[in-house]
Amino acid sequence: MGIEDFGGGQNPQADVLVVTTNDVPGYRVQQVIGEVFGLTVRSRHLGSQIGAGLKSMIGGELKGLTKTLVETRNQAMDRLVEQARARGANAVLMFRFDVTEAMDGAAEVCAYGTAAVIAQDTTAP
């Protein structure tokens, strides 16, 4: 597995900008649309649970579980962006993830933030 299997984040050509900040330098918020979120719940398959159990006894990274969590976070983020786009936003501000255990062996991942319409600030120096 290469580094691309363990990364995430947004495509640089995305039409909805997602940032963890309250604002975007060089842009101004024209309209706040409101909270948006993307949610997914994933369970591990039996093979990964057995492998994780064995690996936890000897130590080391649980690469299969790491990859699953990255995929889960990316899916939650994709759903967040779809919801923002459907509501007319071109940005999501104050983006965050929340992860909780939904049940034994399953994780709930929620990506959330504030949908907004931003425009380049032409008055900035």
Side-chain angles (χ1 to χ4, degrees), residues 15-16 31 33 36 81-91 115-118:
D15 62 330
V16 176
Q31 177 187 4
I33 295 172
V36 288
V81 169
E82 286 175 26
Q83 188 180 88
R85 186 182 300 116
R87 293 180 63 191
N90 67 351
V117 175
I118 62 172

Side-chain angles (χ1 to χ4, degrees), residues 3 5-7 9 14 29-30 35-36 38 48 53-54 58 60 66-67 71 74 78 93 96 102 105-106 109 112 115:
I3 191 67
D5 293 326
F6 299 104
V29 176
Q30 287 185 314
E35 181 186 17
V36 288
S48 71
L54 293 172
I58 59 171
T66 300
K67 186 176 178 184
E71 290 169 353
N74 288 344
D78 288 346
L93 309 175
R96 303 287 188 269
V109 176
Y112 63 96

Side-chain angles (χ1 to χ4, degrees), residues 17-41:
L17 179 65
V18 179
V19 296
T20 59
T21 56
N22 296 337
D23 52 18
V24 179
Y27 288 79
R28 62 184 171 79
V29 176
Q30 287 185 314
Q31 177 187 4
V32 173
I33 295 172
E35 181 186 17
V36 288
F37 65 91
L39 180 68
T40 186
V41 178

